[in-house]
Amino acid sequence: QVQLVESGGGLVQAGDSLTLSCAASGGTFEGYVVGWFRQAPGKQRELVAAITSSGNTNYLDFVKGRFTIFRDNAKITVYLQMNSLKPEDTAVYYCAADAKYSESPYLPAHLYDSWGQGTQVTVST
C-alpha cells in the first residue's frame, strides 16, 4: 500500500493558477489509479480528476478545460494543474490511490484504498 504525500495548496486570487502534487512515498504509482478529490465545508467529497494506470483521465465537468491531471515519467508524482481558479474551487483537496481498480477513472471515493492528508486551496475574489 503506497503512502501519499500532498503539497502545493495555498491562498490565491480568482483567475490565478496553482499546481498540487501527490507523491508516492515508499513506492510508485505503477499499477494504480490516482484521483484528486475535494471537499468544501458542508459539502460532500467529490472527484475532481483521475488518471488510470494506463493514462486515461476523467474530469469533473466544472473543471474541464481549466484543470489537468498528469504524472511524471517515473510515476512517483501525480500533479493537478489548476488554471483560471474560481472562488467555487475553494476546498480541501485530497489525492487518493487504488491498485485493485487501476483502470477505473470514475472510481468513487469509498473504493480508493490510500489517501493523502489533504491540502487547503482557497481562492479569493
Side-chain angles (χ1 to χ4, degrees), residues 6 26 44 90 98:
E6 300 156 356
Q44 288 190 335
T90 294
D98 187 82

Side-chain angles (χ1 to χ4, degrees), residues 34-111:
V34 178
W36 280 99
F37 290 79
R38 67 185 182 188
Q39 188 165 18
K43 295 187 177 181
Q44 288 190 335
R45 190 169 297 191
E46 62 181 357
L47 177 65
V48 177
I51 184 166
T52 67
S53 178
S54 62
N56 291 325
T57 58
N58 172 44
Y59 293 94
L60 178 70
D61 284 348
F62 185 71
V63 307
K64 284 182 179 177
R66 298 190 297 122
F67 290 13
T68 303
I69 186 170
F70 62 100
R71 61 192 175 204
D72 63 1
N73 289 335
K75 298 184 179 180
I76 294 175
T77 306
V78 172
Y79 302 92
L80 184 67
Q81 172 70 42
M82 305 184 293
N83 297 327
S84 303
L85 281 161
K86 304 178 180 183
E88 301 93 314
D89 295 316
T90 294
V92 178
Y93 283 70
Y94 301 87
C95 68
D98 187 82
K100 183 178 181 181
Y101 301 102
S102 63
E103 290 301 329
S104 301
Y106 304 97
L107 196 66
H110 72 275
L111 290 180

